[in-house]
Amino acid sequence: MKKILYSLLIASGIALTGCSWLDINPETGLDESEVFTVWDNYKSYFNYVYSGTTSGNETNITLGYPAYLDTWNLRFTWAALTDMADCGRLVRAQNIKAGTLGANVSVFTTDLSRRPISYSMFKIIRICNKAIANIDRIRNCPSEEDKKDILGQAYFVRGYAHFVLCRYFGGMPYLDKALEADDEWDLPRMSSHDTYLRCAEDFEEAWKYLDAAGKARRDAGPGQPGHLNAPDQNRPNGVAAKAMKARALLYAASPLSNVNGDEDWKAAASACSEALSLALENSFDLLPIDSWQNNFIKSRYTNEQIWAHVFSAAKANAASYSCIYTYAMSNYTNASGDCPTQNFVDKFETIYGEPLETPEQREAAALAGHYNEQNPYAGRDPRLDLTVLHDGSVVAGCATGVNFYYDPDQKMYPGTKIAGASSQRFFGHEWGATDGKGMTNTGYMVNKWWDGKFNVSYNRSDPLIRLAELYLNYAEAVNEAYGPDGKAGDIELSAVEAVNVVRARAGMPPVLSEFTSDKESFRERIRNERTVELAFEGHHYYLDIRRWKIAPKTMTKTLMGMYVEKVPVSAEYPLGRKFERRAIPSNRQSTWKDAMYYIPFPVEEANKMKNFVNNPIW
């Protein structure tokens, strides 16, 4: 581990296009006054945190952006490492999901031929520390607001980098200064709880500077010139700083990290209230459900996104987001695809608000006339169709519905004509199909990040923080601290009411009263709401089941899919389809061992630092 820290903490990370003299580290002879006293040079040094590369690959903050990491590095989303989805190509995620990290660890840590998370985060932490320490040396800063803005960004990025490290690897040494050659290298490892608290302090400091710089949001508000079109909109803003502080304290309060019981939850509730209030004061708002997908595709930015990363250019689905698309919708040879499980699909309630996760719940909904296992997608939460592609799904490129079913008369899975494709695309495949071209083994694909056409270029945006999450973070923290009807801060909103705001946007009724009588009952509905609202984005579900410490339960359930076969239309089979729940193949099931809460550093590196206790190897 000492080797990692020496190389990462000493490396200044200032190799910049057009500034070859900045390739030299200040520690190795560069006169720092050339970097830190001239505004343009200082900015170039700092901007590495957003755009820097090493060995031709990104080693900047984008490695902490979930969708970017999924798309350009691993080619599967981290949802495929949970019970939420099966990875179309077996080789992509299954070893990790089955509890064998193996060679994949280098991807997350030090392999510069890929895009290593820890290397990148430690590198930008050092740059932030140098920028903070030298801010007052600038001689020609255009304005005091410019100085405060970049200082606020430095505190934000430092906090964000530590947060990224902590949620994947656990507690870390917190680096608040650039270590020099004669400093102590054997830094103690902090608990995850204390690491998150330090992150929260940095985000609060970032808020102070960004607010003072007039950067509570970087664009103009709705209806004003420049709305959603600021040149620096990809940079963190003041509301994002408060939102990240709230998220950090929520993680600190969660069962995996909590050390102070209700006091941790109260601190999280207060921070969540402040973040939500500030977002609303600055005119962020939830999109109508008919434009909900704009948070992910087509629009560069939306007014629901507090902070977002837009991919550099609009791209066709043949090459971008191959982690989402199965081979049916991609020309990309290595396309894998996330295939939602039936376990996940069952989390979408009926339109009347009835849960459907257990046989008993489905039976009760059926007796009420609200659910039919042979017409299973009718009368469901509208987010189901927006998130999951299933047999009969109507999309922009296919008004007649996508085919997943098997036709026993033709002994084949019929194709589907999709707009933009010269030939039919095949969504359905033989049940239990062997690994090959990202076939679905669940009977489902992901719809959330797709425009419904074939090979059409459009923008993709990673909503790093959006307003819906702020409502759900608030609801979770307040429920744990004060119960379903509790409130926190100055906002006049109970935990139940906060969840119902998100549900109302989706066209869903308020949470049924039978689930709002006590903290424990309502906890399950909050968690369910997070799962369906934030599915396949932000690595939320992967991290949520860990911080809630429910992964041992969810990861050991049998993963199910939905097999669909064509039959004659009848009273029993109104769609002319027979829907049958089936377990997916045994080699695609998940497992759990407690070592899987965190990713380990490579043993040979961790052992070089005597005070760094590594995570268990798995």
Side-chain angles (χ1 to χ4, degrees):
M1 191 62 199
K2 183 183 289 187
K3 179 180 178 181
I4 291 178
L5 284 181
Y6 185 86
S7 61
L8 299 184
L9 300 177
I10 286 293
S12 64
I14 50 178
L16 301 167
T17 303
C19 300
S20 59
W21 52 273
L22 284 177
D23 291 342
I24 304 172
N25 295 341
E27 291 86 347
T28 59
L30 179 67
D31 182 355
E32 290 193 3
S33 66
E34 294 181 88
V35 177
F36 297 121
T37 62
V38 179
W39 175 243
D40 286 344
N41 295 344
Y42 180 98
K43 284 198 305 178
S44 294
Y45 176 90
F46 177 72
N47 284 341
Y48 184 102
V49 303
Y50 298 116
S51 58
T53 62
T54 300
S55 301
N57 284 304
E58 291 84 354
T59 48
N60 55 61
I61 197 173
T62 57
L63 269 294
Y65 297 164
Y68 187 94
L69 177 65
D70 290 343
T71 303
W72 293 111
N73 198 359
L74 304 174
R75 297 202 177 100
F76 59 79
T77 78
W78 289 37
L81 302 180
T82 73
D83 60 303
M84 179 178 280
D86 176 53
C87 194
R89 292 197 71 208
L90 189 67
V91 68
R92 286 294 181 199
Q94 190 59 36
N95 287 343
I96 302 175
K97 188 172 186 173
T100 305
L101 195 57
N104 291 289
V105 71
S106 64
V107 175
F108 304 125
T109 53
T110 59
D111 185 353
L112 294 183
S113 69
R114 302 296 294 275
R115 295 174 175 84
I117 297 175
S118 65
Y119 179 94
S120 305
M121 296 305 106
F122 278 123
K123 192 165 190 174
I124 65 176
I125 286 168
R126 175 170 174 77
I127 293 170
C128 290
N129 283 331
K130 295 289 285 187
I132 292 169
N134 288 280
I135 189 73
D136 291 327
R137 297 176 64 183
I138 302 171
R139 293 196 299 260
N140 64 333
C141 185
S143 70
E144 190 64 24
E145 286 72 22
D146 287 315
K147 182 184 291 187
K148 290 175 180 176
D149 184 11
I150 204 164
L151 193 55
Q153 292 180 54
Y155 277 107
F156 185 101
V157 172
R158 186 175 78 180
Y160 186 78
H162 281 101
F163 179 83
V164 169
L165 290 169
C166 190
R167 68 179 188 165
Y168 296 124
F169 299 105
M172 285 285 146
Y174 207 90
L175 308 174
D176 56 7
K177 67 175 183 177
L179 297 181
E180 310 300 338
D182 57 351
D183 286 333
E184 174 63 50
W185 295 108
D186 289 329
L187 301 172
R189 185 173 190 179
M190 298 171 63
S191 67
S192 60
H193 176 272
D194 290 348
T195 304
Y196 288 133
L197 294 190
R198 290 294 302 276
C199 293
E201 291 175 4
D202 268 351
F203 291 130
E204 177 63 23
E205 198 71 9
W207 153 253
K208 293 176 182 177
Y209 285 108
L210 291 169
D211 179 49
K215 299 293 184 180
R217 63 182 294 165
R218 291 190 173 273
D219 66 321
Q224 303 298 314
H227 178 54
L228 301 179
N229 196 32
D232 61 351
Q233 197 161 340
N234 62 323
R235 303 293 174 92
N237 57 53
V239 178
K242 284 290 190 180
M244 280 303 307
K245 174 186 176 181
R247 189 196 283 178
L249 291 178
L250 183 76
Y251 273 56
S254 299
L256 186 60
S257 299
N258 190 306
V259 298
N260 296 314
D262 287 347
E263 293 307 309
D264 279 341
W265 282 116
K266 290 176 181 178
S270 177
C272 288
S273 172
E274 190 174 11
L276 180 56
S277 296
L278 190 65
L280 297 177
E281 288 171 12
N282 281 274
S283 301
F284 290 100
D285 200 1
L286 299 177
L287 296 183
I289 191 61
D290 58 3
S291 55
W292 178 74
Q293 282 184 303
N294 289 357
N295 284 313
F296 322 107
I297 58 175
K298 300 180 183 178
S299 297
R300 285 182 57 81
Y301 295 105
T302 75
N303 197 47
E304 183 171 335
Q305 297 168 341
I306 308 298
W307 178 43
H309 170 67
V310 178
F311 282 70
S312 58
K315 295 183 182 237
N317 55 13
S320 185
Y321 274 43
S322 60
C323 56
I324 297 289
Y325 300 118
T326 59
Y327 191 77
M329 289 313 303
S330 175
N331 286 329
Y332 188 48
T333 303
N334 292 321
S336 178
D338 278 1
C339 305
T341 61
Q342 188 64 44
N343 309 54
F344 169 62
V345 171
D346 286 340
K347 291 182 180 295
F348 291 86
E349 302 169 353
T350 72
I351 197 66
Y352 300 96
E354 299 145 312
L356 298 171
E357 290 190 80
T358 68
E360 295 76 17
Q361 289 171 339
R362 292 191 291 274
E363 182 179 0
L367 288 173
H370 298 162
Y371 177 72
N372 183 350
E373 188 77 356
Q374 296 307 319
N375 189 8
Y377 313 118
R380 300 286 290 275
D381 184 328
R383 288 170 295 187
L384 173 58
D385 282 333
L386 292 172
T387 304
V388 178
L389 201 64
H390 56 77
D391 188 72
S393 285
V394 174
V395 296
C398 182
T400 58
V402 174
N403 297 322
F404 281 82
Y405 70 88
Y406 177 70
D407 186 336
D409 295 331
Q410 300 294 324
K411 294 182 171 53
M412 65 177 293
Y413 290 83
T416 303
K417 185 65 175 73
I418 296 291
S422 59
S423 60
Q424 289 190 330
R425 311 309 294 178
F426 291 88
F427 292 86
H429 297 281
E430 180 182 358
W431 192 262
T434 57
D435 185 45
K437 297 177 178 178
M439 300 175 180
T440 178
N441 282 270
T442 69
Y444 298 109
M445 296 180 187
V446 173
N447 195 32
K448 188 171 184 176
W449 298 82
W450 183 36
D451 74 335
K453 305 180 186 68
F454 181 77
N455 253 17
V456 176
S457 295
Y458 51 87
N459 287 305
R460 290 179 175 83
S461 178
D462 184 4
L464 300 168
I465 311 169
R466 60 185 177 96
L467 185 61
E469 184 198 341
L470 268 61
Y471 277 108
L472 296 173
N473 290 350
Y474 173 85
E476 180 181 345
V478 170
N479 182 59
E480 296 297 336
Y482 307 110
D485 296 320
K487 300 177 182 180
D490 296 328
I491 192 167
E492 286 300 314
L493 201 66
S494 71
V496 172
E497 290 168 336
V499 170
N500 286 339
V501 168
V502 178
R503 291 171 64 85
R505 182 268 294 275
M508 290 294 289
V511 178
L512 297 179
S513 59
E514 63 194 89
F515 301 115
T516 62
S517 60
D518 58 76
K519 179 191 303 186
E520 289 71 28
S521 297
F522 189 48
R523 176 188 296 142
E524 297 309 310
R525 302 327 301 160
I526 293 172
R527 291 178 176 181
N528 195 83
E529 194 68 25
R530 283 185 68 91
T531 300
V532 301
E533 176 67 31
L534 304 177
F536 300 103
E537 62 175 290
H539 296 177
H540 286 295
Y541 186 68
Y542 172 91
L543 295 158
D544 282 348
I545 64 174
R546 283 161 170 76
R547 68 182 180 87
W548 294 332
K549 298 188 74 172
I550 65 171
K553 179 180 178 181
T554 65
M555 293 289 284
T556 53
K557 287 184 177 180
T558 300
L559 302 186
M560 306 293 289
M562 183 68 83
Y563 172 75
V564 188
E565 185 172 301
K566 182 180 179 181
V567 296
V569 173
S570 66
E572 183 178 4
Y573 302 113
L575 299 182
R577 303 282 190 271
K578 179 182 179 181
F579 293 88
E580 179 186 336
R581 293 167 181 266
R582 288 186 179 181
I584 66 174
S586 59
N587 63 344
R588 292 176 175 273
Q589 295 293 328
S590 58
T591 190
W592 181 258
K593 43 193 175 185
D594 286 347
M596 295 168 69
Y597 278 117
Y598 293 116
I599 297 168
F601 280 91
V603 176
E604 65 275 14
E605 298 294 349
N607 287 345
K608 294 175 182 177
M609 191 170 196
K610 63 183 181 182
N611 287 335
F612 189 96
V613 179
N614 199 4
N615 302 329
I617 304 301
W618 48 284

